[in-house]
Amino acid sequence: MKKDISWMPRQTTIALVLREEVEQFEKLMNNGMPLETLIHLVFKKDEEMISRLKEGISLVDIFCMGQKKLYFKYLKILSSSLNLNQAIICVTQIEKHSKLVFDKLLQKIAYPFFLLVFAFFMVLFFSDYVLIQMQDYISNGKVLLVIQVLKYTFGLSILLLLFFLIWFYMVFNRFSKSLYYCPFPLMKKMVSLQFVCIYQNLENTYSSTQQVLETMSHMDFSIVGMISNHILDHLLNGNSLEESFLKEEIFDSDFKKMLRYALTNNRFQVFFDLYIKKSTMDIERCVKRIALGIQLYSYLSIGVLVLLVYQIMMMPLNMLNQF
């Protein structure tokens, strides 16, 4: 009797390592320690990793086995051009300038965002339940108008903030062609910084810009791969290197300025180092400004809400004093 194989469970490859373990491995790998000893010290699934190494599977393939995160996709491609140590450092830089910035922004705005949501639901509660019961005591129609204005203002603010965060997340974690054109300066700077980090590391390995861009074009799962493909297309159409880079609207203005100086002086390493340092500071300042703006707005919303609730609660007392 034949078994119906369609109902049999599929074998899935289990990931053997975590990103944090790979970063620890990179920091310890140049201490002259034997590889097997290092694996035993750093990784939880050390025995299984060593058995895979004895089967002839490379260390990079073991790291990327069963992984779906962008970190390991970058590592797989970069390790084909860079040594493992450089590849891990490069991918860590990419994470620092994208995912970690997003996480930091979320941490800073989490509490203010909660206050804004709280203010919205309080206004909603008053407009849909409390004020209906107090209509006989409300002589001033402006109160109802203010409540409605606040309800829609808070609701729109929450939607805009969620839209920004979702777009931010999608550009750097779930990239698709429809997200290529991003209107936000912070995102443009982060995309440019990601591109420069990868380009600079690969430039030390390859002798030509075209080879660097061809390697980066394999990263079609990210926005960097899309940019590289666009630049290669411009070059194939007869545009100069400067024209090909400047045609990309997704690059921020500081990067384009640095690029002109780098091409004029033929010193990519120097100017790209300057751009990385400058952009890192600019991004940190921008994140602080965004977080501060949201904090001030949410605190102001709570203040307006408290004053409004006070006025509404005092209306019945004011009417009693009139008699």
Side-chain angles (χ1 to χ4, degrees):
M1 185 176 177
K2 294 183 179 180
K3 292 183 179 180
D4 186 2
I5 60 173
S6 62
W7 291 98
M8 294 179 69
R10 295 181 180 179
Q11 292 185 347
T12 56
T13 306
I14 300 172
L16 299 179
V17 302
L18 300 173
R19 177 177 63 84
E20 292 79 8
E21 292 176 334
V22 174
E23 290 174 356
Q24 290 175 12
F25 178 80
E26 181 273 322
K27 290 176 182 177
L28 298 173
M29 66 188 298
N30 294 323
N31 291 333
M33 214 178 296
L35 181 59
E36 285 195 19
T37 304
L38 194 55
I39 290 173
H40 283 305
L41 289 173
V42 175
F43 299 99
K44 291 181 180 178
K45 299 182 179 180
D46 49 346
E47 295 296 341
E48 192 170 348
M49 288 180 66
I50 290 171
S51 66
R52 295 293 177 101
L53 282 171
K54 289 178 180 178
E55 292 172 6
I57 301 173
S58 69
L59 192 58
V60 174
D61 288 336
I62 293 172
F63 285 169
C64 300
M65 193 177 293
Q67 302 285 359
K68 294 181 180 179
K69 294 181 179 179
L70 289 182
Y71 181 93
F72 293 98
K73 291 181 180 180
Y74 280 121
L75 183 62
K76 180 71 174 177
I77 293 174
L78 289 170
S79 61
S80 63
S81 307
L82 307 171
N83 63 50
L84 183 57
N85 185 33
Q86 290 175 323
I88 295 172
I89 291 172
C90 183
V91 178
T92 303
Q93 282 182 327
I94 297 169
E95 285 270 298
K96 179 184 175 183
H97 300 311
S98 55
K99 186 178 182 298
L100 296 182
V101 172
F102 181 72
D103 292 344
K104 188 176 181 180
L105 180 62
L106 281 181
Q107 288 172 4
K108 285 182 175 291
I109 69 171
Y111 180 65
F113 182 71
F114 167 76
L115 291 180
L116 190 59
V117 173
F118 173 77
F120 170 73
F121 279 106
M122 284 297 293
V123 170
L124 195 66
F125 173 74
F126 270 91
S127 65
D128 293 351
Y129 297 99
V130 177
L131 292 182
I132 293 175
Q133 305 296 326
M134 298 179 63
Q135 282 182 349
D136 295 336
Y137 303 102
I138 299 174
S139 57
N140 192 349
K142 290 182 180 179
V143 174
L144 297 174
L145 179 62
V146 171
I147 284 284
Q148 292 300 319
V149 169
L150 286 177
K151 181 171 71 172
Y152 289 113
T153 302
F154 292 166
L156 183 61
S157 302
I158 292 168
L159 288 176
L160 288 175
L161 187 56
L162 286 174
F163 172 75
F164 172 76
L165 292 174
I166 291 169
W167 193 315
F168 198 118
Y169 176 80
M170 294 294 287
V171 165
F172 294 103
N173 294 276
R174 296 288 185 273
F175 176 71
S176 66
K177 293 181 181 180
S178 60
L179 298 171
Y180 183 73
Y181 300 101
C182 58
F184 305 111
L186 174 62
M187 289 187 190
K188 285 188 174 185
K189 193 169 287 292
M190 289 176 63
V191 169
S192 303
L193 189 55
Q194 251 193 33
F195 184 90
V196 170
C197 287
I198 299 172
Y199 186 95
Q200 190 180 44
N201 279 279
L202 290 174
E203 191 189 28
N204 297 326
T205 303
Y206 291 114
S207 57
S208 71
T209 301
Q210 185 169 349
Q211 287 178 309
V212 174
L213 292 171
E214 284 175 353
T215 302
M216 293 172 69
S217 67
H218 295 309
M219 302 174 186
D220 53 0
F221 50 83
S222 74
I223 198 165
V224 170
M226 182 66 65
I227 294 169
S228 303
N229 277 309
H230 282 194
I231 295 172
L232 284 172
D233 291 340
H234 295 321
L235 289 171
L236 291 173
N237 290 331
N239 293 294
S240 66
L241 184 61
E242 183 178 355
E243 290 172 341
S244 301
F245 272 89
L246 296 180
K247 280 186 176 183
E248 293 303 306
E249 295 180 2
I250 202 165
F251 286 142
D252 77 310
S253 56
D254 287 338
F255 172 69
K256 292 179 178 179
K257 191 186 298 182
M258 288 285 187
L259 180 68
R260 291 191 186 97
Y261 284 116
L263 289 168
T264 302
N265 297 279
N266 196 24
R267 298 175 69 186
F268 278 87
Q269 191 74 26
V270 173
F271 285 100
F272 279 2
D273 279 339
L274 285 173
Y275 177 75
I276 289 172
K277 291 175 183 176
K278 183 180 183 303
S279 294
T280 302
M281 291 187 291
D282 289 343
I283 288 170
E284 288 177 358
R285 280 197 298 268
C286 190
V287 168
K288 286 180 182 177
R289 283 196 214 105
I290 292 172
L292 181 61
I294 294 172
Q295 285 174 1
L296 291 175
Y297 182 74
S298 63
Y299 295 153
L300 180 63
S301 302
I302 291 295
V304 172
L305 179 63
V306 169
L307 286 174
L308 191 63
V309 170
Y310 175 77
Q311 291 295 327
I312 292 171
M313 293 294 102
M314 290 298 292
M315 282 180 181
L317 294 176
N318 292 334
M319 287 191 69
L320 288 174
N321 290 332
Q322 290 176 1
F323 291 102

